[in-house]
Amino acid sequence: MPIVAESEARQTAERALVRAGVPVENASVQVDLWLDADLRGVPSHGLLRLERLVERLAAGLVDPKTSGKQEWRGSSYLVVDGDNGLGPVVANAALAKVTARAREAGIALAAIRNSQHLGMLAWYAERIARDGQAAIVLSTSEALVHPWGGRHAMVGTNPISIAVPTGEADPFVMDAATSRVSMGEIHDYANRGESLPPDWALDARGDPTTDPNAAKAGAIAPFGDAKGYAMGLAFELLVSALSGAALGTDVHGTLDAVHPCNKGDVFIVIDGPNTAGLSAYLELIRTAEPASGFERVLVPGERGRAKRAKQIKSGVPIADTVWRRIQHLAHGAQSLERVTS
Amino acid sequence: MPIVAESEARQTAERALVRAGVPVENASVQVDLWLDADLRGVPSHGLLRLERLVERLAAGLVDPKTSGKQEWRGSSYLVVDGDNGLGPVVANAALAKVTARAREAGIALAAIRNSQHLGMLAWYAERIARDGQAAIVLSTSEALVHPWGGRHAMVGTNPISIAVPTGEADPFVMDAATSRVSMGEIHDYANRGESLPPDWALDARGDPTTDPNAAKAGAIAPFGDAKGYAMGLAFELLVSALSGAALGTDVHGTLDAVHPCNKGDVFIVIDGPNTAGLSAYLELIRTAEPASGFERVLVPGERGRAKRAKQIKSGVPIADTVWRRIQHLAHGAQSLERVTS
């Protein structure tokens, strides 16, 4: 896998988006989000996604300039119609409003529909917490997860991120999907020709399978069995009820290049969290005696952050096909023709 | 196990609390909360807890009259010092304020410290959703859960409840701890002399055990492994940061009769959720083909609600020792002496 200097990856990806019609400032935001995921070791939410966005732009499914239509519902609840804008562009514009409103009101909420894939939620939550506020971020997705006790995918992977300032240099940030694994991980197993662990997935008929190719046409299990299903379903309903987003198998457009994107995003920002005692508590956890088979007890988010710090210096691994495609979109003849024709 | 008429259980439990010094209107609220858990088949949060509260009252750890000191931090963030009041009494007083504020502002938050055990979160969340608002409720507890990869209990069972109006007669309500099981369930296994399933618990040294008596002195696993640990820890930090509650092994007072109760509770109330499509989606889930080994696909909360409807008519099972103790506290000589002396 090529190791690409962080600055080269950034410039090349930005250039590819600009050639596809994205204003440079919006390309910069979108690439920063993706690259942050690659740097943290979450390539499923990284530059891998660039090509699909370029296809969606070419298909006229995306307005790369808009930051959406914002409307206050009460003084602390911002509803946003993303108008097919870029996920992080629409979200950042909303966050500028709700983080300011939370400073006055104590809490404020943004609920967004009709924008592109939100990307890795930790990117948003961490930034809010670095500015001294607490954040809860939810997003929905295509139905890829089966209900507990069900056979077919009916619920999104519906991740949650929570960030809390701790008085330490870095905030606490957790970010997890409510699926057992990501569909990207299923694809990785398929590409490597490995069997899945049991209980990860069902095939197209709804029967358990360890064949990753069968799982691709089937459904992923919810994490934590019935409880994780309950959480994922709760997030699906809550995000739809607050944002007006689609539900279940009606959700499209984060993975394909055919449909408008109709999932939803929710940001809850809370002002003035009290950091007393948080660092001491986290330090007790970090230094706790590990169970056998574990090197140490981890605080969520810290491994990815350490990896990011390292890879900003050493370069970021990007899958060969992904990196070649981005280079082509940035510099190749075909894209140039498309832009200049 | 005695089957007690709902009205008899209610009157007897209220009388026991009144004799212990609780004003009748507060006794009514506290008993309604407990009885709702028994009716839904969650006895660990039911009348089982009455005797311990009476002990705490006798020890002077509880102010049964107060609803706490409320202070607005911004227009939509209510901070409450519970002043050792009863969990549901302090919470209801806070909810009266934040549900009204959410109607104006779109969203409002209450963060409570220094009140007694909050009880079953669904009791609060369901009520908020019946009034047409969405609710997210968090509460912390004594450290009973080990970090993923750790040996000792350092995190609370930290439940979450989410309720959303759906346009159906009943709202969607999920309520789940972030522990794999409750300590009450471990005690049930011990009482029945049965072995625990593997991966549920560690013993006092931090090694895996299937002996429920060893687990009582040890730690419960987080649900959903690393992800559930991340969520439970996030809730611990968030609730403490917002309410000023204690953290980890410093949390006391929901189980003992020795310490003031210093866990925290957080209520987020969101106004005006849009119910379009929610009922149709839930109906697709209810009627989905079940996996082998399952009778049907369940929507979280509905089994408990059906049980409640049935047991309101047929009576509620209460463990023999629990029911006898409540009757004694309500009618027995010893308690009478304490009250009249």
Side-chain angles (χ1 to χ4, degrees):
Chain A
M1 200 179 285
I3 307 293
V4 184
E6 189 260 357
S7 59
E8 187 189 353
R10 187 181 297 274
Q11 287 161 19
T12 309
E14 284 180 6
R15 186 179 163 104
L17 287 189
V18 169
R19 288 181 86 191
V22 179
V24 65
E25 64 275 20
N26 291 356
S28 168
V29 166
Q30 179 68 63
V31 168
D32 191 69
L33 166 72
W34 284 330
L35 194 53
D36 194 50
D38 281 313
L39 287 165
R40 293 195 210 214
V42 189
S44 61
H45 286 58
L47 291 169
L48 166 67
R49 297 205 175 231
L50 185 144
E51 182 175 10
R52 182 49 47 93
L53 183 63
V54 170
E55 290 169 359
R56 292 180 61 78
L57 284 156
L61 293 164
V62 180
D63 178 348
K65 298 183 174 67
T66 188
S67 50
K69 278 192 297 287
Q70 302 177 340
E71 185 190 347
W72 287 102
R73 184 185 292 177
S75 56
S76 290
Y77 180 173
L78 186 70
V79 177
V80 181
D81 183 332
D83 281 340
N84 302 314
L86 296 170
V89 171
V90 173
N92 277 357
L95 281 173
K97 299 290 175 66
V98 295
T99 54
R101 188 56 53 90
R103 291 201 195 283
E104 301 160 15
I107 185 169
L109 175 145
I112 302 171
R113 66 177 181 280
N114 300 334
S115 76
Q116 309 306 303
H117 191 238
L118 191 60
M120 187 180 59
L121 307 191
W123 185 76
Y124 305 89
E126 177 175 299
R127 198 151 30 97
I128 296 166
R130 283 198 191 283
D131 285 344
Q133 300 182 310
I136 303 172
V137 186
L138 304 172
S139 186
T140 55
S141 84
E142 272 82 350
L144 295 171
V145 178
H146 64 78
W148 184 241
R151 287 184 170 270
H152 302 293
M154 302 182 76
V155 184
T157 54
N158 300 357
I160 180 171
S161 179
I162 295 176
V164 184
T166 60
E168 300 184 336
D170 295 309
F172 171 88
V173 186
M174 68 78 59
D175 181 350
T178 50
S179 53
R180 183 114 184 197
V181 290
S182 68
M183 190 50 91
E185 205 158 346
I186 303 280
H187 281 259
D188 282 347
Y189 273 76
N191 293 342
R192 291 199 307 268
E194 287 180 28
S195 290
L196 300 175
D199 303 328
W200 274 25
L202 306 179
D203 63 20
R205 289 194 316 272
D207 292 318
T209 184
T210 58
D211 174 358
N213 288 303
K216 283 197 230 173
I220 307 170
F223 97 105
D225 302 348
K227 286 188 185 192
Y229 156 56
M231 279 192 194
L233 180 58
F235 298 163
E236 182 105 15
L237 294 165
L238 186 65
V239 169
S240 175
L242 300 182
S243 70
L247 286 158
T249 54
D250 290 336
V251 177
H252 299 290
T254 78
L255 302 169
D256 62 70
V258 178
H259 299 283
C261 188
N262 59 358
K263 55 77 195 149
D265 313 314
V266 164
F267 294 87
I268 298 172
V269 178
I270 307 164
D271 201 58
N274 173 6
T275 62
L278 301 194
S279 173
Y281 173 57
L282 289 173
E283 196 56 23
L284 282 177
I285 290 178
R286 290 184 192 108
T287 57
E289 187 190 356
S292 56
F294 290 82
E295 262 183 60
R296 56 196 181 89
V297 180
L298 296 170
V299 169
E302 295 191 346
R303 196 166 41 180
R305 189 182 284 144
K307 186 168 216 162
R308 178 175 65 186
K310 183 166 160 274
Q311 295 195 148
I312 284 175
K313 294 176 188 163
S314 66
V316 56
I318 303 178
D320 188 44
T321 49
V322 170
W323 180 232
R324 277 191 290 169
R325 195 72 194 123
I326 293 172
Q327 288 178 299
H328 180 74
L329 289 169
H331 304 293
Q334 193 187 5
S335 296
L336 195 59
E337 273 162 23
R338 188 196 292 157
V339 170
T340 56
S341 66
Chain B
M1 202 180 283
I3 306 294
V4 184
E6 188 261 356
S7 59
E8 187 188 353
R10 188 181 297 274
Q11 286 161 18
T12 309
E14 284 180 8
R15 187 181 162 106
L17 287 189
V18 169
R19 289 181 87 189
V22 180
V24 65
E25 64 276 18
N26 291 355
S28 168
V29 166
Q30 179 69 63
V31 169
D32 191 69
L33 166 72
W34 283 330
L35 194 52
D36 194 49
D38 282 312
L39 287 166
R40 292 195 211 215
V42 190
S44 61
H45 286 58
L47 291 170
L48 166 66
R49 295 203 177 233
L50 185 145
E51 182 175 9
R52 182 50 48 92
L53 183 63
V54 170
E55 290 170 0
R56 291 180 61 79
L57 284 156
L61 293 164
V62 181
D63 177 347
K65 298 183 174 68
T66 188
S67 50
K69 279 192 295 286
Q70 302 176 340
E71 185 189 349
W72 286 101
R73 184 185 294 176
S75 55
S76 291
Y77 181 171
L78 187 70
V79 177
V80 181
D81 183 332
D83 280 340
N84 301 315
L86 297 170
V89 170
V90 173
N92 277 357
L95 281 174
K97 299 289 175 67
V98 294
T99 53
R101 188 56 53 90
R103 293 203 193 281
E104 302 161 14
I107 185 169
L109 177 145
I112 303 171
R113 65 176 181 279
N114 299 333
S115 76
Q116 309 308 301
H117 191 237
L118 191 59
M120 187 180 59
L121 307 190
W123 185 77
Y124 305 89
E126 178 174 300
R127 198 151 29 99
I128 295 166
R130 283 198 190 283
D131 287 344
Q133 298 182 311
I136 303 171
V137 186
L138 303 171
S139 186
T140 55
S141 83
E142 273 82 351
L144 295 172
V145 178
H146 64 78
W148 183 242
R151 289 186 169 269
H152 302 294
M154 303 181 77
V155 184
T157 53
N158 300 358
I160 181 171
S161 179
I162 294 177
V164 183
T166 59
E168 300 184 334
D170 295 310
F172 170 88
V173 186
M174 68 78 61
D175 181 351
T178 50
S179 53
R180 183 114 184 197
V181 290
S182 68
M183 191 49 92
E185 206 158 344
I186 303 280
H187 281 259
D188 282 348
Y189 273 76
N191 293 341
R192 292 198 307 269
E194 287 179 28
S195 290
L196 300 175
D199 303 328
W200 274 26
L202 306 178
D203 64 19
R205 288 195 315 272
D207 293 318
T209 184
T210 58
D211 174 358
N213 288 303
K216 283 197 233 174
I220 307 170
F223 97 104
D225 301 348
K227 286 189 184 190
Y229 157 57
M231 279 192 196
L233 180 58
F235 297 162
E236 183 104 15
L237 295 165
L238 186 65
V239 170
S240 175
L242 300 182
S243 70
L247 286 157
T249 54
D250 290 336
V251 176
H252 298 290
T254 77
L255 302 170
D256 62 69
V258 179
H259 299 284
C261 188
N262 58 359
K263 54 78 195 149
D265 314 314
V266 164
F267 294 87
I268 298 174
V269 178
I270 307 164
D271 201 57
N274 172 5
T275 61
L278 302 193
S279 172
Y281 174 56
L282 289 173
E283 196 57 21
L284 283 177
I285 290 178
R286 289 185 192 109
T287 57
E289 187 190 357
S292 55
F294 289 83
E295 265 184 57
R296 56 196 182 91
V297 180
L298 296 170
V299 168
E302 296 191 345
R303 195 165 43 181
R305 188 182 287 144
K307 187 167 216 163
R308 177 175 64 186
K310 184 167 160 275
Q311 294 196 147
I312 284 175
K313 294 175 188 166
S314 66
V316 56
I318 303 177
D320 187 46
T321 49
V322 170
W323 180 233
R324 276 191 290 170
R325 195 71 194 125
I326 293 172
Q327 288 178 300
H328 180 74
L329 290 168
H331 304 293
Q334 194 184 3
S335 296
L336 196 60
E337 274 164 22
R338 191 196 289 157
V339 170
T340 56
S341 66

